[in-house]
Amino acid sequence: MADYYTAYLPLLAILALGVGLVVAMFTSNRLLRPTHRTAEKMLTYECGVDPVGEGWAQSHVRYYVYAYLYVIFAVDAVFLFPWATVFGGLGWISVGEMGVFIGFIAVGLVYAWRKGVLTWT
Amino acid sequence: MAELVEVLLRVAVVLLAFLVVPLLVGQVEHKAMAHMQSRVGPMYAGGFHGWAQLVADGVKFVQKEDVVPAAADRTVFKMAPAVALLPYLVAMVAIPIGPGLVGQDLDIGLFFVVAVMGVGVVGTLMGGWSSANKFSLLGGIRVAAQLMAYELPFVLAAASVAMAAGTLSLTGIVEAWNPWWLLWQAPAALVFFVAGLAELQRPPFDIPVADAELVFGPYTEYGGLRFALFILAEYAGIVVLSALTAVLFLGGWHGPWEDQVGWLWTLAKTGLVAFVVVWVRVAYPRLREDQLQRLAWQGLVPLVLFQLAVTAIGVVVMSS
């Protein structure tokens, strides 16, 4: 078990190094850069004219149905990975079971397709 | 103690590769794209065919003023470039270039790399949201839509390889690789590469940063060093995607004299895929939003589901 966790030590090390790299970059940036703050420069960019309203505008998120589809399939993928490493020894029955599982979801995709959800309006 | 030194050495090499290889890809893009378009590209920096152009760019970026718009969400705005960049550094640790030549061989290497690559996109989303700019917000929403459409075929294509190899370890996958996978796993390879391009928002999937309509999408408000980090993240992403494609689908270090020069094969295959990434940028026009979604949901997802079935049948037939 201890070995299992030591395998992840280099990842922590590289993450720490990476954060250090970013910090070093911005420290040298701080030492080298000029700073002339003006009100105009800090304005939000909107093609050179004064910004209208605020940037967090409401907009129509058209793809929320895609988001549902994505979540369903993503959960499926999580089951798929552990199964992928063992199913060779389990044979046809295991493949059949996974086929039923993925088949159900695929039918869902076909249903969404037929209902015209996948057509951009 | 010796173990600790070895770990540090491996990690240092990965960091060095992370700092050098993306710049190489960037330079190749400058020059190859220029010649494909009958230009010469950078010629002056460094003297010989502008080899030091990106170094000069880095020196310029580090001296530039740090501008954060007054309306922006400052903390998120400042963190976003680092969140976009660092996942690719972490991903590079797990990618093997030869037997034993890997930052750290993980049992779940494939799963880990795919998961970490997804985090990189969050950095772009953070930038798009926190800029408080209409162009950035629209760009960020497009990034989200694209991520949702293409993450799925990307992950399923990776799962197909895991099924074929029977392991999630990247080293194990290369060891299980067989030349006939080039045919058997070809649809998965295609899906993986195309979906990977879309995740990196590389042309022709660069509608989130479509300059003619959205200025520069989520990066509109960014300048100086933070902008440079986003661009570096894009090239680091190309390196990670190319290396993964080479390792998963093109056999990694397998090739003539693989006992002596196996790692060279991995690097050569990675370089080849990276060149194709540049080539695709020059060759294809940008996809419209609806074309993009249609390609993902009605093209890549059914194709990769078909591939999963083919892989499953193939594995059971071969093992029985």
Side-chain angles (χ1 to χ4, degrees), chain A residues 29 41-42 45 52 56 66, chain B residues 62 65 70 129 134 221 297:
Chain A
N29 182 225
K41 198 189 283 175
M42 298 299 148
Y45 176 76
V52 179
W56 289 298
Y66 294 97
Chain B
V62 84
E65 189 177 358
W129 175 256
K134 296 183 185 72
E221 291 288 358
W297 290 105

Side-chain angles (χ1 to χ4, degrees), chain B residues 21 42 60 91 102 104 111 153 167 174 186 189 243 258 295 297 304:
Chain B
V21 182
K60 181 192 73 174
V102 52
Q104 177 64 45
F111 198 72
T167 171
V174 179
E258 60 181 80
L295 176 66
W297 290 105
V304 79

Side-chain angles (χ1 to χ4, degrees), chain B residues 47-59:
Chain B
F48 180 75
H49 287 271
W51 68 271
Q53 180 60 48
L54 292 172
V55 181
D57 283 345
V59 172

